Amino acid sequence: SKLEYWAAHPWKWDPSDSVPAPLRKNYIHDSTVDVFFVHPTTLFGKNEERWNAPIDDAAINKKTDYSTILYQASVFNEQCRVFAPRYRQANLNAFFTIKKDTAARAFELAYTDVREAFEYYLEHYNGGRPIIIAAHSQGTVHAARLLREYFEGKKLYNKLVCAYLIGM
């Protein structure tokens, strides 16, 4: 519910609002379609004691905001409202470790945050608007699960414009 727990949100300025000069003449604020964007992994390092990023880690949030939110999520901002939740993302090493059970718990914690943010978005912001689900890398893993749980064979499927899941 707090804006600081969104990496991108139409109700605040964030790096996804950075529109390149050539696109500004066609810029439409708050169009009829929403994008729910799940960012990729920005928690790196070999310290496996830190399996998930704290949601309020200023360094990780800045890294997320000024990389993937700026260079990936902003592409949608010309024509769409962009919602990108912060989440306790799993460390990149969770993809490669032999500690599969520990990694699975790290991904489950991350997905729980994404799912809860999506549910909050649906209840408080969507208002029946069409939705694009977009994601990259770890975000794609979580977004694919959102699609299975919330769209496949469900009424919400009729609101899905497309799913843009890359990097996995």
Side-chain angles (χ1 to χ4, degrees):
S1 65
K2 296 180 180 180
L3 289 180
E4 64 262 28
Y5 295 128
W6 292 88
H9 195 289
W11 281 237
K12 70 174 189 173
W13 185 92
D14 57 71
S16 78
D17 296 321
S18 300
V19 178
L23 300 178
R24 288 185 191 146
K25 68 178 181 174
N26 296 322
Y27 180 79
I28 300 170
H29 186 71
D30 291 352
S31 76
T32 59
V33 177
D34 289 345
V35 171
F36 191 84
F37 179 80
V38 188
H39 69 77
T41 309
T42 56
L43 175 62
F44 308 119
K46 295 184 180 186
N47 183 358
E48 290 186 344
E49 292 175 11
R50 189 171 175 186
W51 284 97
N52 292 87
I55 199 138
D56 57 356
D57 184 309
I60 292 294
N61 290 344
K62 183 177 180 181
K63 185 177 183 180
T64 299
D65 294 352
Y66 290 97
S67 62
T68 182
I69 299 301
L70 176 63
Y71 296 117
Q72 294 176 333
S74 65
V75 72
F76 300 102
N77 207 27
E78 181 186 3
Q79 300 290 325
C80 302
R81 299 189 315 175
V82 179
F83 294 85
R86 297 200 185 286
Y87 64 98
R88 291 172 288 180
Q89 60 181 286
N91 188 312
L92 180 66
N93 289 324
F95 284 104
F96 307 106
T97 185
I98 61 170
K99 299 175 183 177
K100 299 300 180 193
D101 291 342
T102 304
R105 286 191 298 275
F107 286 118
E108 187 62 29
L109 179 63
Y111 178 71
T112 297
D113 287 350
V114 171
R115 183 188 67 236
E116 289 178 6
F118 186 68
E119 288 177 356
Y120 191 87
Y121 155 78
L122 286 174
E123 185 176 334
H124 296 278
Y125 300 125
N126 177 262
R129 294 164 58 101
I131 306 169
I132 295 171
I133 301 294
H136 180 215
S137 191
Q138 180 175 167
T140 291
V141 172
H142 304 311
R145 190 167 167 189
L146 279 180
L147 289 170
R148 286 189 304 275
E149 293 180 8
Y150 289 87
F151 293 90
E152 287 183 9
K154 305 219 169 52
K155 185 177 176 183
L156 192 55
Y157 178 80
N158 295 323
K159 293 292 181 184
L160 184 64
V161 174
C162 68
Y164 187 67
L165 308 181
I166 60 170
M168 289 304 291

